[in-house]
Amino acid sequence: MVLPIGIFSTFYAVLCYHLYDVVKNFLKYLDETTINDNDVILKQYLSIRKLVLEADSELSLLMFMSSLFYACAMYFGIASILHSEDYTSSGSYLSLVTIWLVFIASNTAFVVMAIFGSLVWETSTDIWEKAQELMNTEQNPTFSQKRFLAVSEKGLTMTAWKITPVKRSFILATMGTIFTYCILLDTIAN
């Protein structure tokens, strides 16, 4: 069970980094370009947006499911910390060490996935700021410029089951919520 989740975490992080790189290169293109053809810029951005949306639609459910796995691993990790005597049968600490290793590895993988997922959103906000900057320099913005600004304002995000965007706040909010519920469930169970 741990191996497929670990492989998905690696795949998700690499894919998000690739998408981040594509968005970052587009931002660099906007900074360096002297082309005033706003239709071309809009078409390029829409194709990048389509790429991110397709990747997200394929992976958002898996991101959510892996988040549930990490929640379970966190629960067992916290339960083993709070009740370590229950996991050490006849002086053997092997099961306790195994749970802690899964706990550390799964939480690290979750944080890495969320960090790389949030890079896509952060860079897309830079594109929106650049689009605003370009609009402010124009006295009579064209329809393409207005549409580019409107489309880039929505941003590009990876999501967890199309419920919540993966941003930096997602990491802290999710881990804090899961930790709180783990303590609550452990208190109720005992």
Side-chain angles (χ1 to χ4, degrees), residues 61 64 68 73 85 109 128 142-143 155 185:
L61 178 63
F64 179 75
L68 290 178
E85 65 278 352
W128 179 68
T142 64
F143 174 75
L185 289 174

Side-chain angles (χ1 to χ4, degrees), residues 69-82:
F69 171 79
Y70 300 132
C72 293
M74 182 179 276
Y75 175 75
F76 287 119
I78 290 173
S80 71
I81 291 170
L82 294 175

Side-chain angles (χ1 to χ4, degrees), residues 31-46:
D31 285 336
E32 296 172 355
T33 190
T34 58
I35 299 172
N36 291 330
D37 191 1
N38 296 310
D39 290 329
V40 172
I41 292 173
L42 178 62
K43 286 179 183 178
Q44 289 175 347
Y45 183 77
L46 289 175

Side-chain angles (χ1 to χ4, degrees), residues 13-30:
V14 168
L15 179 74
C16 286
Y17 184 78
H18 176 69
L19 292 173
Y20 157 74
D21 198 39
V22 168
V23 174
K24 184 178 71 170
N25 286 335
F26 180 74
L27 179 64
K28 197 181 301 181
Y29 170 75
L30 283 178

Side-chain angles (χ1 to χ4, degrees), residues 2 69-70 73-74 76-78 80-81 93-110:
V2 175
F69 171 79
Y70 300 132
M74 182 179 276
F76 287 119
I78 290 173
S80 71
I81 291 170
Y93 291 98
L94 183 61
S95 62
L96 192 61
V97 169
T98 304
I99 291 171
W100 288 352
L101 287 174
V102 169
F103 171 75
I104 291 168
S106 65
N107 285 314
T108 302
F110 176 75

Side-chain angles (χ1 to χ4, degrees), residues 2-183:
V2 175
L3 185 62
I5 294 294
I7 291 171
F8 173 72
S9 300
T10 304
F11 173 74
Y12 188 84
V14 168
L15 179 74
C16 286
Y17 184 78
H18 176 69
L19 292 173
Y20 157 74
D21 198 39
V22 168
V23 174
K24 184 178 71 170
N25 286 335
F26 180 74
L27 179 64
K28 197 181 301 181
Y29 170 75
L30 283 178
D31 285 336
E32 296 172 355
T33 190
T34 58
I35 299 172
N36 291 330
D37 191 1
N38 296 310
D39 290 329
V40 172
I41 292 173
L42 178 62
K43 286 179 183 178
Q44 289 175 347
Y45 183 77
L46 289 175
S47 66
I48 291 170
R49 182 175 180 77
K50 182 180 177 186
L51 177 69
V52 171
L53 289 174
E54 285 177 0
D56 182 53
S57 69
E58 294 292 325
L59 298 176
S60 65
L61 178 63
L62 293 172
M63 174 62 170
F64 179 75
M65 297 302 287
S66 63
S67 298
L68 290 178
F69 171 79
Y70 300 132
C72 293
M74 182 179 276
Y75 175 75
F76 287 119
I78 290 173
S80 71
I81 291 170
L82 294 175
H83 309 288
S84 60
E85 65 278 352
D86 294 342
Y87 293 92
T88 55
S89 61
S90 64
S92 175
Y93 291 98
L94 183 61
S95 62
L96 192 61
V97 169
T98 304
I99 291 171
W100 288 352
L101 287 174
V102 169
F103 171 75
I104 291 168
S106 65
N107 285 314
T108 302
F110 176 75
V111 168
V112 167
M113 283 174 51
I115 286 173
F116 280 102
S118 70
L119 287 176
V120 175
W121 179 79
E122 291 171 6
T123 308
S124 74
T125 58
D126 293 340
I127 288 176
W128 179 68
E129 290 171 0
K130 182 67 177 173
Q132 276 187 315
E133 181 183 308
L134 292 173
M135 286 285 289
N136 289 337
T137 61
E138 295 287 325
Q139 291 182 1
N140 295 323
T142 64
F143 174 75
S144 296
Q145 288 174 323
K146 291 177 186 177
R147 185 154 182 242
F148 177 60
L149 182 64
V151 171
S152 64
E153 183 178 16
K154 295 177 185 175
L156 304 170
T157 59
M158 300 299 285
T159 61
W161 199 15
K162 305 267 186 213
I163 296 173
T164 182
V166 178
K167 300 178 183 176
R168 286 190 189 249
S169 60
F170 173 78
I171 303 166
L172 296 175
T174 303
M175 292 191 79
T177 303
I178 291 171
F179 179 76
T180 303
Y181 277 105
C182 288
I183 298 293

